[in-house]
Amino acid sequence: MMKEFQWKTILKLSGEGGSITFLGKKNEREHWIYKRNINEIFSLEEMDDHPPNVEYQPSKTIKKLKPTVRKSNEATHWDSARKMIEEYPLEYLKPVHVHPEFAEKVWDIISTKKLPKHRLKLWVKACFPTTTNEIFELFYALTKSKHTVVLTGAGMSVESGIPDFRSPSGWWKNIDPLTVATVEALEENYDLFYEFYSVRINTLKGCEPHEGYRILAKWERSDLIHEVATQNVDGFHFKALSNHVDELHGSILTYRCHQCENEASRDQFLNKESCNFCNGKLRPNVVLFGEALLEKAWNNALNHIQQADLVIVIGTSLQVYPVSQLPKMTNGKTVYINKEVSEFQSLFDVKIEGSARDTLIAVDQLIRS
Ligand code: APR
């Protein structure tokens, strides 16, 4: 029995008083073929949905889309179908329907056009209906920003298998940080200090930065983001190939003697050895509670945040000073992405409640380099 292939609407556009529909169907070789239907001749009046204060002024002339003799109304390949679609002033037309299988292709076309924000949003919603307003706002701000800084916390690594600190499954749910993450703990109760950090070091084994980390590194290469300031000590931003990273709370991947500051190796720490030179206690190069932040990292992060016109904060409860103050030190737009969003984050322009990884993937789907 021959499989019946029906014409499906690939893209339907509406203008003042008419619409254009691009259809597609698979032929017997499962290859897509395309055709267009113009159901009415329609003219492009001054678009009544452009209040005078929009970013751009539509041309004053009324454009008539006459059914001029087109080269063809049919196409056997997407490239020719794309040419048919691009014959129309898409900037002035509204998307009525985009076939999900062609969302990326249609969005590739639209991404090359200069559309005002509210029209771009119509196309995003038509191509990717699950895109929330907040995801769109972040996408739009990211593409418009000239200097973007990202501030991350432990929530950014949870989807890589690393617990955060203050969630129900976090490190501080069963451990009092003051008994393990202070200089006093190191000096007075080294066994507990050593136990806590060796467990955290071993937790990193087999864990890799997730797709969200790789997206931030890609956005750095595309000049979409310019600095990452992180409270995390797992080194995942570097491991995902971000370069401009300020590790505000240090790193659990390098070690030193607490007394003479001499470098030590991971194995020396994990083997609970003493310093080769002064027999002092070994520690990871993390900033312990009560210690000053690493000056170079702090100053660099602060400098970028003060210059930023967009600051994206991801996966942090912002409960630890002074990093918690950084988002207040920018005049730029601020976006907060977190699994839990409470009224404490009211200072943020955009708040996205959800997964760090899924949110970054959803925004990246819209980015065209
Ligand atoms: N996606 C987004 N957010 C998440 C996810 C996720 N998958 N998982 C957890 N979160 C959120 C949690 O809801 C929480 O609000 O990430 C936040 C992590 O907050 P904390 O656990 O307090 O971690 P952080 O803010 O980085 O802590 C700062 O405190 O103990 C010190 O030195 C430690 O650097 C750490 C600092």
Side-chain angles (χ1 to χ4, degrees), residues 16 34-35 70 100 114 158 163 198 212 227 295 336 345 359:
E16 291 298 303
Y34 309 90
K35 70 177 181 179
R70 306 259 177 211
K114 270 195 134 349
V158 166
S198 55
E227 195 75 9
E295 195 173 341
Y336 184 70
Q345 281 87 34
T359 301

Side-chain angles (χ1 to χ4, degrees), residues 243 291 325:
N243 292 306
E291 287 187 314
Q325 303 310 301

Side-chain angles (χ1 to χ4, degrees), residues 5-9 23-26 33-35 74-75:
F5 296 99
Q6 300 293 326
W7 285 105
K8 292 177 180 167
T9 298
L23 300 161
K25 80 169 178 179
K26 283 184 181 174
I33 54 176
Y34 309 90
K35 70 177 181 179
E74 302 197 348

